[in-house]
Amino acid sequence: MTYIKDKKQWMIVGSLIVITLLFFYAFMYSDILITTSFGINFWDVLFGGDIFRFYEVCHSDVETAGYHIFNMPDYDFLIYIIFAVWNLPLWIARKVAHINIWESALAIAWAKTIVLLFTLLTIKAVVDICKTLKLEEGNRRDVVLLFATSSILYMSVFVTSQYDVIYLFVMLKAFDAYLKNDMWRFTAFLALTLPVKALSVFLFPALLLYKEKNILKICCHTAALFLPWMLFQVIFPMGAENGGNTSNILVIFGQKLVFRDLEIPLFLLAAITFYIVCYVMKAPDDERSAGLNSVRIAFLSYALFFILCDTNPYWYILLLPFQCILIGLNEDRKYLSAILETITSICYVGMYVWMIPWCFDVNLVRSTYVSRIWGLREDRTNNILEILHTMLPSVYEMAEERAKAYLFMLFLAGNIVFVLINTVRCENITLRNAEIPRWLYVIRYALGIGVCMLPVAAYMF
């Protein structure tokens, strides 16, 4: 924070931090409640001598003001260890002090703080990558501010309280090792993320094939990548009633290309083509060019995934750091790129507000301090769309038919242009060599807070 120079700026930054934290702790989504519950139950299973039957005997039984959940674990074992370690104080409070942690706003806040911790670690990892790529301080600042003010961050981390940022941090450590040509460390870090959630696997093939051309070494790295995941599968096998990490991944390949009687997943077709191109390409000797290409490959690996697959909205945070770093690397066109990221991100969030409104409904705030301040309301609106339907029914009916498609169209068009201006040499573009103005960061932050206001407004009105 060397660019914060006087007391007035520190006061502004301090106020923004307070406002940001207030909104961060205003929400608690059911997914993280379930995972927190399994993490706490881990200690019951461990001290009960049933650790190797975790999936068989463990269950989630959570009842808060917002959710009543009964579920079985369906992710791989490592994520529950992480949440068990973090939430050990809650397990002790429940066992020793007999506190109902699901009715305590303070306990709920502690459970969510793990996401805040890894968000800060992720920002630090982004800074480390920028230093490895030898970005100047001004460009590093822009990368961090772009990441910290993106609507995607507010949706994924603040509102829907997702833990994807946990393995994103490890993925970025892997990518930093990759940029330093430490390929085995790159594989080792990614191997740790796979038993948490298998989405990290999409970062691996293109980057490996771009840098490694020896088939035997490629096979060894691939085997090493899956080794920890396979060990967890053997030691802690999932039962038939558990969904499983891999099965959750396979359902996303929904978009198909029909050729005669054959149905070809569009993402797999695009991805395999992309992997072949990466293998054919030779990495340049110039360190900066090689680093830029690596960031482009990481970005495109996830861009293909989000454009061609049926995904959850909060997964988009996996692409965000690479997009922001790419903007910083292409400094002569970063103003235009920042505008495109601003537009595409808010369109992506808006599209999912219409597609899955329960991710933005009032249940998110009913277990937090918000309900303690405004009261636990029963006669309430479920989400912001119901307010729109009540106040402007004609606008709602028109938007219901068109909003999702039009927002995705803008998201897709903006990203196509973003890819073109950041991967193709183009000298004749608008806003070239212009710095990102401060007012754009203000708008981005306001949009992020606006995303946070969707459930709060529905609860208050």
Side-chain angles (χ1 to χ4, degrees):
M1 289 194 173
T2 55
Y3 51 90
I4 302 177
K5 301 184 182 300
D6 56 41
K7 185 177 179 181
K8 182 179 179 181
Q9 288 180 325
W10 275 109
M11 289 178 64
I12 293 172
V13 171
S15 300
L16 290 175
I17 290 173
V18 170
I19 293 170
T20 303
L21 289 176
L22 284 173
F23 277 104
F24 175 82
Y25 286 110
F27 312 105
M28 193 66 170
Y29 188 52
S30 59
D31 284 7
I32 198 171
L33 280 172
I34 294 170
T35 313
T36 297
S37 177
F38 289 137
I40 293 171
N41 289 345
F42 168 89
W43 298 108
D44 292 328
V45 176
L46 175 65
F47 293 122
D50 288 322
I51 189 63
F52 295 107
R53 297 173 59 234
F54 176 82
Y55 288 97
E56 182 181 345
V57 302
C58 189
H59 65 274
S60 169
D61 191 4
V62 178
E63 184 166 4
T64 68
Y67 303 98
H68 184 200
I69 303 162
F70 184 87
N71 206 348
M72 299 293 290
D74 59 358
Y75 287 110
D76 284 309
F77 192 65
L78 185 56
I79 188 60
Y80 301 124
I81 297 177
I82 295 171
F83 272 80
V85 173
W86 177 260
N87 291 302
L88 179 58
L90 299 187
W91 182 82
I92 294 172
R94 191 184 66 170
K95 284 292 183 181
V96 176
H98 304 290
I99 295 173
N100 186 340
I101 58 176
W102 308 120
E103 293 183 357
S104 168
L106 185 60
I108 294 293
W110 171 264
K112 191 178 177 182
T113 300
I114 187 174
V115 181
L116 177 62
L117 171 64
F118 276 92
T119 300
L120 296 176
L121 289 174
T122 296
I123 292 173
K124 175 63 168 59
V126 168
V127 173
D128 290 341
I129 290 172
C130 290
K131 290 179 179 178
T132 300
L133 292 167
K134 296 180 172 55
L135 265 70
E136 296 179 356
E137 185 178 353
N139 286 331
R140 293 203 303 267
R141 178 199 61 202
D142 285 329
V143 170
V144 170
L145 288 175
L146 286 169
F147 181 82
T149 58
S150 175
S151 299
I152 298 299
L153 179 72
Y154 288 85
M155 173 188 64
S156 178
V157 173
F158 285 58
V159 177
T160 58
S161 314
Q162 293 297 314
Y163 69 78
D164 298 272
V165 72
I166 295 176
Y167 63 92
L168 172 60
F169 162 68
V170 186
M171 281 172 51
L172 293 176
K173 297 298 289 183
F175 187 68
D176 194 27
Y178 178 87
L179 293 173
K180 295 174 180 175
N181 294 313
D182 192 341
M183 293 301 293
W184 282 110
R185 196 157 155 260
F186 162 70
T187 301
F189 272 122
L190 283 185
L192 287 176
T193 66
L194 213 59
V196 176
K197 188 179 281 188
L199 290 174
S200 57
V201 75
F202 296 120
L203 186 65
F204 181 77
L207 287 173
L208 178 65
L209 293 171
Y210 177 64
K211 190 163 287 189
E212 183 57 70
K213 309 302 180 183
N214 186 297
I215 300 297
L216 180 59
K217 289 184 178 180
I218 291 172
C219 292
C220 289
H221 279 281
T222 304
L225 175 73
F226 287 98
L227 182 59
W229 176 80
M230 290 187 291
L231 287 174
F232 277 111
Q233 294 295 310
V234 172
I235 299 172
F236 303 100
M238 292 187 183
E241 67 276 9
N242 304 110
N245 199 343
T246 307
S247 62
N248 289 339
I249 296 299
L250 295 178
V251 299
I252 62 180
F253 304 139
Q255 304 299 325
K256 303 289 180 62
L257 173 67
V258 179
F259 178 74
R260 295 181 180 177
D261 294 329
L262 304 176
E263 291 187 351
I264 303 170
L266 277 175
F267 171 73
L268 291 181
L269 175 63
I272 291 171
T273 304
F274 182 52
Y275 298 157
I276 293 172
V277 170
C278 289
Y279 182 77
V280 171
M281 289 175 59
K282 181 182 178 182
D285 296 328
D286 176 55
E287 188 176 340
R288 177 175 173 80
S289 298
L292 176 59
N293 285 347
S294 298
V295 176
R296 286 170 173 167
I297 289 170
F299 168 75
L300 289 172
S301 295
Y302 278 111
L304 288 173
F305 173 64
F306 286 107
I307 289 172
L308 299 177
C309 291
D310 183 12
T311 65
N312 287 323
Y314 35 78
W315 290 347
Y316 198 90
I317 197 173
L318 303 178
L319 176 135
L320 182 60
F322 302 110
Q323 187 169 18
C324 295
I325 294 168
L326 188 57
I327 292 173
L329 283 169
N330 289 319
E331 56 184 309
D332 63 327
R333 57 201 71 183
K334 64 182 179 181
Y335 184 13
L336 179 58
S337 297
I339 292 174
L340 289 170
E341 196 283 329
T342 304
I343 295 171
T344 55
S345 292
I346 198 62
C347 286
Y348 191 76
V349 174
M351 176 181 68
Y352 276 102
V353 169
W354 283 93
M355 291 178 66
I356 47 176
W358 57 87
C359 283
F360 304 87
D361 69 15
V362 297
N363 284 328
L364 275 68
V365 302
R366 299 192 80 227
S367 299
T368 66
Y369 74 86
V370 174
S371 65
R372 305 299 192 270
I373 295 175
W374 274 278
L376 192 57
R377 301 183 179 183
E378 294 296 335
D379 53 339
R380 68 191 192 284
T381 306
N382 284 327
N383 55 62
I384 200 72
L385 295 182
E386 290 189 8
I387 297 177
L388 178 62
H389 185 237
T390 301
M391 298 180 64
L392 299 168
S394 58
V395 174
Y396 175 86
E397 290 172 5
M398 180 182 65
E400 188 178 25
E401 296 179 0
R402 301 174 176 85
K404 291 175 284 190
Y406 284 14
L407 287 168
F408 182 75
M409 177 185 67
L410 290 172
F411 164 77
L412 182 59
N415 272 298
I416 290 172
V417 176
F418 182 92
V419 169
L420 288 174
I421 66 172
N422 283 282
T423 58
V424 178
R425 289 184 180 179
C426 183
E427 305 298 327
N428 189 25
I429 58 173
T430 188
L431 300 176
R432 192 159 182 261
N433 294 316
E435 290 295 320
I436 301 175
R438 290 184 178 180
W439 58 261
L440 182 59
Y441 289 123
V442 174
I443 290 175
R444 289 168 62 87
Y445 182 75
L447 288 172
I449 296 300
V451 173
C452 295
M453 283 300 299
L454 294 177
V456 174
Y459 190 82
M460 292 174 64
F461 296 103

